[in-house]
Amino acid sequence: MILLLFSIASIAHFLALYFAPGEIALKLGTKIVPILILIFFSVFEGNWKDRSGKYVFIGLIFSLFGDTFLALPGNYFVFGLGSFLVAQVLYSIGFSVGNPVHVVRLIPYFVFGLLFYTWILPGMGASLYVPVAVYVSAICVMGWRASSRECPKPEFWKSFFGSLIFIASDSLIAMGKFLSLPIPWIGIWIMLTYYAAQFLIYESVEEN
């Protein structure tokens, strides 16, 4: 049921992006509905009561704030960045509850974060150097903590791939904002990967 509702809501947003790109209210409304569905089912199914699930649940709420800020007209990028930063920290805590550190698994995420930040740095204003560095660090830590979970394989792979897809989605946002790269349908790719990531992360605590 949730997959069907989530898919329909996501498709509705893609249709709004394609057919009514200038309708801010429609874009915002359809954008947040899929995350609202995940929040509703988290409450309905009791996922928020789980030790790790409660952090993912609150992370979804901050993701909702981030979606809203980034969809509003005007310069709310930093507010959206801050909301998603909190969400990433919460996801990292949720993935860390009861799990080992596994420092070695941090290495590929550290290397990626360093190289990616260096790549996009020339396109930033000086005021964004620190906020973006902190955010890149946060998404890499989130990916690392997902890769360090010791849990049933279905939940592990959902959080692992969900975190990787989330990193890809945020990387596309940064590339679109800070680099002059002609990426066709970048808005669709950003939201497609974002929704997939959030759904997988939600599912990773569903059966705990």
Side-chain angles (χ1 to χ4, degrees):
M1 174 63 73
I2 182 175
L3 178 59
L4 177 62
L5 291 176
F6 186 83
S7 299
I8 292 173
S10 301
I11 292 171
H13 179 60
F14 296 141
L15 292 175
L17 287 177
Y18 184 79
F19 290 106
E23 297 293 331
I24 302 300
L26 181 61
K27 285 170 59 179
L28 173 58
T30 56
K31 183 180 184 182
I32 65 175
V33 169
I35 305 303
L36 284 172
I37 289 173
L38 297 184
I39 292 172
F40 171 80
F41 275 92
S42 291
V43 175
F44 181 74
E45 296 176 350
N47 294 352
W48 62 275
K49 296 179 181 179
D50 181 79
R51 288 180 65 203
S52 61
K54 62 185 176 183
Y55 292 105
V56 173
F57 173 68
I58 302 172
L60 286 170
I61 294 175
F62 275 93
S63 295
L64 184 69
F65 294 155
D67 283 334
T68 303
F69 281 125
L70 293 180
L72 290 174
N75 188 17
Y76 294 97
F77 178 75
V78 173
F79 295 99
L81 191 74
S83 298
F84 277 115
L85 173 62
V86 175
Q88 301 296 351
V89 171
L90 289 164
Y91 289 160
S92 296
I93 296 172
F95 295 150
S96 297
V97 171
N99 292 300
V101 176
H102 286 311
V103 175
V104 174
R105 298 185 188 183
L106 172 62
I107 295 174
Y109 295 96
F110 175 80
V111 172
F112 167 79
L114 183 62
L115 293 177
F116 186 76
Y117 181 76
T118 303
W119 185 36
I120 64 175
L121 183 63
M124 289 183 227
S127 63
L128 290 176
Y129 287 169
V130 173
V132 173
V134 171
Y135 190 82
V136 170
S137 300
I139 63 171
C140 290
V141 167
M142 187 265 295
W144 165 48
R145 297 316 301 149
S147 72
S148 301
R149 294 181 75 194
E150 291 187 355
C151 59
K153 284 189 176 181
E155 285 75 21
F156 172 82
W157 289 116
K158 287 173 183 177
S159 59
F160 177 74
F161 284 113
S163 66
L164 287 183
I165 297 171
F166 214 137
I167 291 172
S169 180
D170 284 340
S171 297
L172 285 171
I173 293 175
M175 291 161 62
K177 185 170 182 64
F178 303 125
L179 302 175
S180 300
L181 295 178
I183 304 176
W185 303 101
I186 187 171
I188 298 294
W189 287 115
I190 288 171
M191 294 309 301
L192 182 63
T193 50
Y194 170 70
Y195 285 145
Q198 293 282 31
F199 185 79
L200 286 172
I201 289 173
Y202 161 84
E203 286 274 304
S204 74
V205 298
E206 184 179 35
E207 300 174 7
N208 286 356

